Amino acid sequence: MTAYIARRILLMFPTLLGILFVSFVVVQFAPGGPVERVIAQLSGADTGASRVSGSSGGDFGNRGQAGASGDAVNSKYRGAQGLDPDFVKSLEKQFGFDKPAPERFALMLWNFARFDFGKSYFRDTSVLQLIKEKLPVSMSLGIWMMLLTYLISIPLGIRKAVKDGSRFDTWTSAVIIVGFAIPGFLFAILLIILFSGGSFWSIFPLRGLTSDGWDQFPWYWKIIDYFWHMTLPLISMVLGAFATMTLLTKNSFLDEIRKQYVMTARAKGCNERQVLYNHIFRNAMLIVIAGFPGAFIHAFFSGSLLIETIFSLDGLGLLGFESVLNRDYPVVFGTLFIFSLVGLVVNLLSDLAYMWIDPRIDFEAREV
């Protein structure tokens, strides 16, 4: 087991390197950039993500005719004509674009190896500080979403498998299918209309994770206020995940219930509860555990983007989206590195959980 864990940890390094390399290459060919964004702001044409034209574009000949003699330096940036070339060079140096791409990539790897992610281009604060500020919101949404999803979906999925074909199974399946078909963000808007003063009742707050003056509240009222704000976002997020996990659990248990070893256990005199939890459970739960890493990453880092936006919750999902839109590359690559590392670690923990549930699985005897 120790050797297997060591191999998996060593494989994380080339995996992270590949993720960063592919992302870095894509960024080099993506339109726009921090230099272009500043130029667009100066020219009053900033739309959130300025465009850049490549050196082979036909647009350059036309623009070169309008430029002054010093505009040859600026011609690779749309809107830079007429700006002082030294000013454009200072912008390139400020954002690190005065160095060739291979050197920038090598420098980024060296810094990331020391967990130095630099400072945001446009927020004047470190990437780690930004993540630290946004993390509580995403953690609150992610932890409670995962907890509610698993606590509700697994028992319900088991019950549906045991009662397969019954009226209970039919009615719950109808509810689950409807829940799965409704997008979370659309359901969130419906909840706001109904319960946040949209058109009907004003029961729940519309924005934020806590009320103004939360620090001054008694401890019990802090808890109440916190869950008061979390109710609608959590319901919106749990809806789709709850449906998927319930059906996954049911189908997994149905597959196991029909196998020969279950009939053998019953023939030996085991009651249904013993058969279900002593024999079927650990085999059926393997596929549920297999989906945990993806569900974890989705819940914490990507699944809450629209919900954070709708309910004005300033978390990691919104941070990542705004960073990509604004070409804030230190934040983009810093969050990408952390998310990827967390995903790889959770994948490893998921494999170890396989062995805890079913000791027959031996990863160490297999080739990684």
Side-chain angles (χ1 to χ4, degrees), residues 84-154:
D84 185 354
D86 291 334
F87 172 74
V88 176
K89 287 183 179 180
S90 69
L91 285 179
E92 290 180 332
K93 185 175 181 179
Q94 176 183 344
F95 294 121
F97 287 90
D98 57 327
K99 303 180 179 67
E103 184 178 346
R104 297 203 312 271
F105 182 68
L107 181 61
M108 183 181 72
L109 291 181
W110 169 246
N111 291 332
F112 280 18
R114 297 178 291 124
F115 285 87
D116 178 9
F117 303 109
K119 294 181 64 176
S120 167
Y121 285 158
F122 305 110
R123 297 175 186 254
D124 195 29
T125 186
S126 69
V127 174
L128 284 177
Q129 182 62 33
L130 276 175
I131 294 175
K132 182 180 177 181
E133 292 174 359
K134 313 300 182 184
L135 189 60
V137 173
S138 295
M139 284 187 64
S140 295
L141 293 172
I143 289 175
W144 290 114
M145 174 188 169
M146 294 289 293
L147 186 62
L148 290 174
T149 299
Y150 277 79
L151 286 179
I152 297 173
S153 300
I154 292 177

Side-chain angles (χ1 to χ4, degrees), residues 146-163 168-169 172 176 242 245-250 253 276-277 281 285 288:
M146 294 289 293
L147 186 62
L148 290 174
T149 299
Y150 277 79
L151 286 179
I152 297 173
S153 300
I154 292 177
L156 180 59
I158 295 174
R159 184 69 175 172
K160 285 175 62 62
V162 173
K163 298 290 185 180
F168 171 82
D169 181 46
T172 53
I176 288 170
F242 153 79
M245 183 61 63
T246 300
L247 294 178
L248 178 65
T249 304
K250 176 193 172 181
F253 272 80
L276 187 62
Y277 291 102
F281 184 81
M285 285 301 294
V288 177

Side-chain angles (χ1 to χ4, degrees), residues 252-253 256 259 261-262 276-288 357-358 360-361:
S252 178
F253 272 80
E256 295 297 324
K259 291 184 177 178
Y261 75 88
V262 176
L276 187 62
Y277 291 102
N278 293 347
H279 296 82
I280 297 175
F281 184 81
R282 68 180 184 180
N283 294 323
M285 285 301 294
L286 288 176
I287 191 171
V288 177
I357 291 179
D358 191 350
R360 295 173 301 173
I361 297 178

